[in-house]
Structures are given as C-alpha cells and as structure tokens.
Amino acid sequence: MTVINFPKRPGAFGGRDVICFSHLRWDFVYRRPQHLMSRFAGQGRVFFIEEPLTSDGTTYFDISEREPNLFVCVPHLPKSAGRGQVPEIMRHLIDLMRIEHKIDNYITWFYTPMMVDWIRQLTPQAVVYDCMDELSGFKNAPAELVERERELFAKADLVFTGGHSLYEAKRTQHTDVYAFPSSIDKGHFATAILIRDDAAKQAGIPHPRIGFVGVIDERLDKSLLAETADLRPDWNFVMVGPVVKIDENDLPRRDNIHYLGQRTYEDLPAIMSGWDAAMMPFALNDSTKYISPTKTPEYLAAGLPVVSTPIRDVVRPYGEMGLVHIAETAEEFAAGLQHAMDEDAAERRTKVAELLSDHSWDKTFSTMNELINDMIVGQQAMHVTVEAGMK
C-alpha cells in the first residue's frame, strides 16, 4: 500500500489536528462540514477523509490541500476488496497518514457512523459525533447504520446535533449531547440584497421567480412542486442543485419549472438576488423528520420571503415568528407564496436581522471548540487525580 499526492510541510506543526470522517464529499454542496472544518484549520490541521473510491491499481490515499492546513483525503481501494476488508485497509491507510504527517495531538470527528470501525487503533484526545442528519431515514441507508451509530455513541465524548428536533431524538442516547442548529454566513448571503445584475444562468426566466437551492433528492415533494406550478403557470420555479438518489426522469417537467443544476457556493447570492421568493417544498417523510435546513437562514439573510412545508425545525422558530410561511397543500403553498411576495419586505428584514444577529458559523465553531477543550481539560485533570490516588 502506498500514500501518494501527500503535500509536505517543513518543520513541526503546532495546534490540535482534526481527523474528520465524512460521507459527504468536500467538493459536493458547501454546507456544515465545510464551514466548521475550514475554521478548525485555522488552529490546526484538518484531514477530511471521504468515502473510498474503487480503482484497478494500488491501494492509496489521494490527498490534496484545498485550503491552508485543510487536506481532503480520498481513499482508493481495489475493486477486489470486499466490504469486510475495508475497515482493516482503512485503518492501515490512516496509520500511514498519521505517521507520515506526525499526527499525534488530535481529535476524531464523525459525520457518519459507518466509518467508526476505522479508528480502533487510534488514541485521540476526543471523539466527536456531529450528527447533522438522521441518516437511517435517508434513501438507500445501510442496514447496519443504526448498530454502527450505537457503537459511535459508545465511543464519542461529545455529540452535537444539527437541529433541535434531532437533539430531542438523541439526547437520551448519550450523556453529553448539544444542539447546534444550522447557522449562517450572513455577510455572504446578505450581498444578494445589493446585487442588481441578473445571474446569466437564469437571466432569460421571467418574473416572478420562486427559487429553491439545495440537494434535489427524496426529500423533495415532487407532487407538491408540480401541482403548485400548475396552479400558477404565470410564476417560474427555479431549482438549483444536484439531483441525487432519484431518477431525473421522475422530476416534474413543466414550462415554468427550471432546473439549473449545481452552482458554486460563491454563485448563490447572485442567483438568489434574482428571485422574488424562496421555497422549501420538502416532503413529510422519514428523511425530513429531523432536518434543520441550512437554507432557511440563508434565504432570509438574502432578503427573501420564504414558504416551507411544516418541517419541525422550520416551524420552530421561523414559522412561529412569522418569518417563514408554512403550507402543506399546493393550494396553501401557492397562497403562501402570494402572501410572502406581498408582505412588507423592510419589516421582515428588520425582524430577520434581530433573529440572526447572534447567529454565525464563527459562533457555532467557537462554542463547539470550547466544549471540546473543556472536555479534554476535564479528562486530563481526572487522569492526574487518579494517578495521584494510586501513588
């Protein structure tokens, strides 16, 4: 086995490192893992380990530095390797990486329980499970995911959840569970309010435009989207994001529904600036039961009125505060969108500014980091106390 494409750094490196295990690829949609890991890279190195790819050749890590101190690590495993061999191969690759880069002072961070078998040989200062979704409710979830999560709960020192409803579901499964709902890069999305030039990709689409940005998968209520578009043929519905886990042929096709594909994180404010309202037509199923959509505060920060189906972490607090219109049927959705576009934008933006004044990924990161530091210091003090008692 070999490790290739491994950037070299002269001299020793200070600070605590993070070895992050993620089912989401770094170059997919820019969301919670990227926001948090980029900030951890400001105080230590981050090794972001993705799911393996198969290859015909040698087993190796393809590792590249995407930001200062942030390394994306893509395992390549031979097609001949069976599922039962993967954990052992990955443990070996991680050991080689750790030795190569002298990773001694580190924590492990998980976004998926399916990689918990990869760290049996490691002795991190802390194990963190950032449970951003209830993955067992997603389409094509592995049958063993629930059991793997039990194992991860047993190993984890801290558990963070991606929303309040998920916190309520997980808080009895671990002694240290903390809710960290989706946060916001306010400055990035607020630029949408000032942008006047229309994004080229949607420049030919007439107004009013109702927009959605995000992964288009089993969480989308396809029937709701189609029926709402049929009710208002004079409106145009703009869908921005990659289509995954569902057949594109099953998506509703109408003259007033436009699929723009995946756009970069940097492009989103310019695209949102050309919308008259934003929507979250989520289906109400197992995959959406505990979601806390990052797009909710992003839409609001971009100055947009928003309509959503009754997702619990949208109803609380955004719906209860009157910042998001809640609708379930197509008729309700169309009426909600009309009401949203007619409302007083200045009044809404004032309320949004008050709500989001204390929200930021910087604050989320800082609070998480403080919890980790406190936990490590507490463990070290306990270890010293035990050692002193044995003398």
Side-chain angles (χ1 to χ4, degrees):
M1 297 183 184
T2 59
V3 179
I4 68 169
N5 291 351
F6 211 102
K8 302 291 185 180
R9 283 194 175 282
F13 189 93
R16 183 186 302 130
D17 297 327
V18 178
I19 303 177
C20 178
F21 298 89
S22 177
H23 61 296
L24 299 169
R25 298 199 180 277
W26 186 264
D27 294 324
F28 190 46
V29 177
Y30 200 94
R31 53 198 300 195
R32 183 184 182 102
Q34 287 86 347
H35 281 293
L36 293 174
M37 291 302 119
S38 293
R39 286 162 173 78
F40 273 111
Q43 63 179 29
R45 296 169 300 179
V46 172
F47 299 88
F48 188 88
I49 299 178
E50 299 184 346
E51 290 184 333
L53 299 176
T54 56
S55 64
D56 293 322
T58 308
T59 299
Y60 64 92
F61 253 145
D62 188 355
I63 302 179
S64 57
E65 189 171 14
R66 301 302 180 81
E67 300 176 10
N69 303 323
L70 197 150
F71 301 90
V72 174
C73 313
V74 184
H76 289 252
L77 276 56
K79 294 178 181 178
S80 58
R83 287 187 62 187
Q85 297 174 283
V86 171
E88 182 180 354
I89 295 173
M90 287 307 306
R91 286 193 290 269
H92 185 72
L93 279 176
I94 292 166
D95 276 344
L96 288 177
M97 179 186 74
R98 194 168 53 82
I99 293 168
E100 179 79 14
H101 259 245
K102 298 180 175 60
I103 306 172
D104 300 314
N105 177 29
Y106 64 97
I107 66 171
T108 53
W109 185 288
F110 285 86
Y111 280 108
T112 171
M114 295 304 295
M115 298 177 181
V116 68
D117 276 354
W118 299 2
I119 68 162
R120 288 182 180 176
Q121 80 286 14
L122 300 182
T123 55
Q125 287 192 315
V127 177
V128 177
Y129 178 24
D130 190 11
C131 181
M132 60 182 285
D133 288 305
E134 181 55 86
L135 296 178
S136 62
F138 282 24
K139 187 176 182 179
N140 302 327
E144 63 271 32
L145 195 149
V146 173
E147 177 58 33
R148 290 289 179 270
E149 185 174 70
R150 279 197 288 264
E151 293 176 22
L152 183 51
F153 273 124
K155 288 180 179 292
D157 297 292
L158 291 169
V159 176
F160 304 142
T161 66
H164 287 294
S165 59
L166 195 53
Y167 165 78
E168 291 167 355
K170 302 296 183 183
R171 62 184 176 182
T172 61
Q173 300 178 47
H174 195 276
T175 56
D176 287 295
V177 184
Y178 301 87
F180 285 96
S182 297
S183 197
I184 175 69
D185 183 352
K186 293 189 293 288
H188 180 67
F189 287 96
T191 60
I193 299 172
L194 304 175
I195 295 174
R196 295 291 176 262
D197 295 332
D198 207 354
K201 192 73 175 179
Q202 63 183 3
I205 301 174
H207 290 269
R209 297 177 190 154
I210 318 300
F212 169 90
V213 60
V215 178
I216 301 172
D217 56 15
E218 75 272 19
R219 292 171 292 180
L220 174 70
D221 189 330
K222 299 187 292 291
S223 296
L224 177 63
L225 174 60
E227 292 169 16
T228 306
D230 288 340
L231 285 172
R232 296 304 305 251
D234 54 325
W235 294 351
N236 284 278
F237 297 83
V238 180
M239 306 294 291
V240 177
V243 179
V244 301
K245 293 190 289 182
I246 59 174
D247 191 332
E248 290 195 31
N249 294 322
D250 293 335
L251 293 174
R253 302 290 174 175
R254 304 287 191 276
D255 289 341
N256 61 335
I257 301 179
H258 310 268
Y259 297 96
L260 303 191
Q262 184 170 352
R263 317 312 299 169
T264 67
Y265 183 72
E266 289 72 25
D267 288 342
L268 296 184
I271 291 173
M272 291 181 183
S273 72
W275 296 349
D276 299 285
M279 63 179 176
M280 293 188 287
F282 286 117
L284 303 178
N285 56 31
D286 288 344
S287 67
T288 62
K289 187 175 181 180
Y290 300 109
I291 63 171
S292 176
T294 305
K295 60 182 62 61
T296 313
E298 292 174 349
Y299 286 159
L300 293 172
L304 291 166
V306 184
V307 179
S308 173
T309 48
I311 299 300
R312 289 173 63 191
D313 282 9
V314 177
V315 174
R316 304 176 303 177
Y318 303 102
E320 293 174 346
M321 296 182 66
L323 294 176
V324 173
H325 300 268
I326 305 299
E328 192 162 352
T329 67
E331 290 77 11
E332 292 170 350
F333 216 83
L337 284 167
Q338 183 65 71
H339 183 64
M341 289 186 285
D342 290 341
E343 69 187 10
D344 187 322
E347 180 181 345
R348 182 188 65 251
R349 290 175 182 176
T350 298
K351 292 171 66 176
V352 168
E354 292 174 359
L355 174 66
L356 299 183
S357 63
D358 200 34
H359 288 55
S360 72
W361 284 114
D362 285 339
K363 181 175 181 180
T364 297
F365 163 74
S366 177
T367 306
M368 286 179 167
N369 198 39
E370 185 176 346
L371 286 168
I372 294 168
N373 289 334
D374 288 347
M375 188 278 301
I376 291 173
V377 169
Q379 284 191 343
Q380 291 173 340
M382 185 181 300
H383 182 69
V384 170
T385 300
V386 170
E387 281 192 336
M390 294 175 63
K391 291 181 180 178

